[in-house]
Amino acid sequence: AYKRFSELLPKEQRENACSLRVPKSQILTLPELRANPFQHRICRVFSTSEDGDDSMSFEDFLDMLNVFSDSATSDVKSHYAFRIFDFDEDGTLDRGDLEKLVNCLTGQGEEARLSGAEMEQLIHNILEESDIDKDGTINLAEFQHVISRSPDFASSFKIVL
């Protein structure tokens, strides 16, 4: 992990990798993130940057790898998945978050985009299945309940270096 992190820095800075931050633009060059539709959200969630630039320290990088490792528990993985999918960072998955989530999963091209009616039906179905307290949003507990019924979630929510 340290080798991969330090390789994201210019050669002259690699000796000090533990005390430096790697810019988001460099983190996104990792093949493991390059094709991930949630790459920007992943950087946002794991970055501890006070500048809001989503840069990562080595510790941030290790946290990310830990969550996406095979050894992370389903609870830890689902907690971070929830944070990644909570685009507006308000602690719930509302209709806006769900629409962005679907668009990330289906692709951004016009041919891949769902029609307004299709999107509305899909969001309705998601909320019908997941929104236990019927408040129009999915909270962390509701999300974890749904994830607990998906046996392949933990094995698919990973990054292997």
Side-chain angles (χ1 to χ4, degrees):
Y2 179 79
K3 182 177 184 292
R4 288 294 298 277
F5 182 79
S6 64
E7 287 171 351
L8 296 171
L9 291 163
K11 281 187 173 54
E12 63 275 5
Q13 293 182 332
R14 290 182 184 167
E15 286 179 28
N16 301 320
C18 278
S19 60
L20 297 174
R21 300 189 72 81
V22 170
K24 175 183 173 181
S25 60
Q26 283 302 109
I27 298 290
L28 295 178
T29 65
L30 288 167
E32 297 83 3
L33 285 180
R34 199 177 309 142
N36 190 309
F38 300 101
Q39 57 181 225
H40 296 286
R41 289 293 306 152
I42 291 169
C43 288
R44 168 62 47 96
V45 166
F46 288 97
S47 172
T48 57
S49 171
E50 294 177 9
D51 299 334
D53 61 3
D54 298 341
S55 63
M56 285 193 191
S57 66
F58 181 56
E59 201 168 301
D60 297 338
F61 189 71
L62 283 179
D63 287 346
M64 177 183 72
L65 293 181
N66 183 42
V67 168
F68 285 105
S69 74
D70 282 331
S71 60
T73 66
S74 191
D75 273 356
V76 167
K77 287 179 178 287
S78 61
H79 171 82
Y80 279 93
F82 182 84
R83 287 187 57 201
I84 290 165
F85 300 157
D86 183 11
F87 289 87
D88 60 10
E89 301 179 6
D90 67 352
T92 64
L93 303 183
D94 59 18
R95 289 180 167 275
D97 293 320
L98 294 174
E99 187 169 333
K100 287 179 180 171
L101 172 59
V102 170
N103 284 334
C104 280
L105 291 172
T106 58
Q108 301 300 318
E110 281 304 312
E111 69 285 345
R113 217 173 263 283
L114 298 179
S115 71
E118 291 169 329
M119 180 67 78
E120 189 53 42
Q121 183 62 52
L122 182 56
I123 290 173
H124 173 79
N125 293 349
I126 292 168
L127 288 171
E128 188 69 30
E129 181 74 24
S130 310
D131 183 17
I132 297 166
D133 62 11
K134 302 300 179 201
D135 67 350
T137 66
I138 302 167
N139 62 35
L140 177 60
E142 291 167 333
F143 181 78
Q144 288 181 317
H145 176 72
V146 169
I147 292 301
S148 72
R149 297 183 299 175
S150 175
D152 59 338
F153 169 74
S155 62
S156 62
F157 194 77
K158 69 179 179 182
I159 293 175
V160 180
L161 288 183

